[in-house]
Amino acid sequence: MPTSTARVVVVGAGVLGVSTAAHLARAGASVDLVTEAGVASGASGRSLSWLNSAGARSEAYHLLRTVGIDRWRTFAARTGLPEGLRFDGGLTWAAPGESHRDRHAHELAVGYDSVWLSPQEVAAWTPGVDPAAVAAEGAVFNPGEGWVDLPTAVGVLLQRFEAAGGRLRTGAGRARPVVEGGRATGVVTGSGESLPADAVVLATGPRVPRDLAELGVVVPDGSTAALLLRTRPVDVPLRAVLNTPRVALRPAPGGTLVLDSAWSEREVVVRGDGGHEVRASTLEGLLAEASRVLAGNPALELDGYGVGPKPIPGDGEPVVGPVDGVDGLHVLFTHSGATLGLVLGELTAREVLTGRPHPLLAPFRPGRFGTAA
């Protein structure tokens, strides 16, 4: 990373914003990191954070995700986080009437580590799973996958950011880029504070499309509600990430589990004021589904949950890089924030400081949807 004296404001303190800010500050830039509420208080705080590139996706996106996983492995080797970052694989099986055989064949074809297991073989590869819950056809096990506790990892990145001289502003309210003469010249916080800058990085998660729309920039939004449950500590030997037809779950720090599912997210009620309501029956049902796939079917008790919008670009692929028509404005918007958190922060910081585009990010520019008005 080249050294720089640039002034940069990063808006958003989830994993993408904090990672970018830490890389910028390390390179010598003068960086203000601004967040509406607290650090990792949005999507990063309610993510299953499965580190993977499983299944079929574009070649460019698969490559970017595998590089993202590589960065987390380096982070684990240098930082540790024994309770917050693990690579014990991921296990997936299909719903009745469906099959993952084609997915397994595709993964083998692209060189992704993929093993087909019969229900009888599952326990040896992924302790803690009830073989009776596995589909009769078997399951796909991806040995190279893992998970990260994002609030813990973000805390480490934030320490590096502040040690390098970065300035954090929490509780700043909604911050907006200031654009003058077709160029981003800084940010105004919700309290009216003005932060001048040579470049602005917008990493506001599911609010990115709204923030860009105010500047005449079109980014289609596919964001949905996210619901992540955390259990009280439970004695189970599970180490892998499980993606099953009715629940996805993984271990978490302190002997707890975190879990989510598509069906439970669809049951979340989004109020007219943007708030969210979660039914007790949804929480109870998700805990029951998790118990059913675990060996011994342990009783799981709810410790808490997070609910809110999940950032998803309209075409499903990341939106990364400079905004056409607004010089000095960069954007980060992706569903795969956990897998891509480190690599996108690194490459975005490099592009901000050098002005040179990185080839890994070329397919994911915001300009593919249109230009600024």
Side-chain angles (χ1 to χ4, degrees), residues 24-362:
L24 286 165
R26 179 186 176 190
S30 175
V31 188
D32 288 291
L33 176 60
V34 181
T35 180
E36 183 172 5
V39 175
S41 60
S44 290
R46 50 178 180 267
S47 168
L48 189 71
S49 306
W50 171 31
L51 306 178
N52 79 95
S53 188
R57 51 180 46 86
S58 71
E59 182 178 348
Y61 193 15
H62 175 67
L63 175 59
L64 184 62
R65 290 176 73 110
T66 57
V67 175
I69 294 171
D70 171 76
R71 294 301 193 271
W72 280 114
R73 288 188 176 277
T74 302
F75 189 88
R78 293 185 174 178
T79 307
L81 297 186
E83 273 205 311
L85 177 57
R86 301 285 302 180
F87 286 95
D88 294 303
L91 183 74
T92 305
W93 64 84
E98 301 178 6
S99 175
H100 280 334
R101 288 285 188 180
D102 287 345
R103 166 187 154 165
H104 174 57
H106 169 79
E107 290 174 350
L108 292 178
V110 299
Y112 194 66
D113 198 358
S114 186
V115 180
W116 189 266
L117 301 177
S118 70
Q120 295 74 30
E121 295 174 310
V122 163
W125 286 77
T126 57
V129 179
D130 185 350
V134 179
E137 73 157 2
V140 181
F141 182 62
N142 302 113
E145 294 178 353
W147 59 267
V148 60
D149 185 72
L150 278 183
T152 301
V154 166
V156 172
L157 291 169
L158 188 61
Q159 290 175 358
R160 295 178 181 179
F161 167 71
E162 294 183 320
R167 298 171 295 275
L168 172 66
R169 287 174 165 81
T170 59
R174 185 184 173 193
R176 293 176 170 85
V178 176
V179 178
E180 299 174 347
R183 180 171 186 83
T185 60
V187 164
V188 172
T189 69
S191 62
E193 182 182 9
S194 179
L195 301 172
D198 303 307
V200 174
V201 179
L202 195 62
T204 51
R207 296 178 178 175
V208 164
R210 175 205 64 182
D211 294 342
L212 290 179
E214 294 181 354
L215 302 175
V217 179
V218 177
V219 170
D221 186 14
S223 299
T224 62
L227 172 64
L228 186 79
L229 276 62
R230 184 178 296 271
T231 73
R232 292 180 179 173
V234 58
D235 185 16
V236 295
L238 182 70
R239 295 293 177 266
V241 180
L242 300 187
N243 282 275
T244 82
R246 294 284 295 173
V247 65
L249 69 155
R250 64 160 173 85
T256 65
L257 301 171
V258 294
L259 44 146
D260 68 11
S261 73
W263 67 264
S264 62
E265 291 174 348
R266 289 193 293 268
E267 291 188 359
V268 172
V269 177
V270 182
R271 301 194 305 261
D273 63 359
H276 298 77
E277 296 178 6
V278 182
R279 303 185 183 99
S281 60
T282 301
L283 302 175
E284 294 164 0
L286 197 53
L287 289 170
E289 294 289 354
S291 175
R292 191 179 70 82
V293 302
L294 293 172
N297 308 124
L300 301 178
E301 299 180 3
L302 179 67
D303 184 58
Y305 66 88
V307 62
K310 176 195 306 183
I312 305 176
D315 64 358
E317 299 218 329
V319 180
V320 183
V323 175
D324 291 344
V326 187
D327 292 344
L329 179 63
H330 297 251
V331 64
L332 289 164
F333 177 47
T334 183
H335 171 48
S336 47
T339 300
L340 300 181
L342 294 183
V343 70
L344 287 188
E346 172 193 333
L347 300 184
T348 297
R350 186 177 296 275
E351 289 194 332
V352 168
L353 297 181
T354 68
R356 294 194 296 270
H358 196 285
L360 277 178
L361 304 184

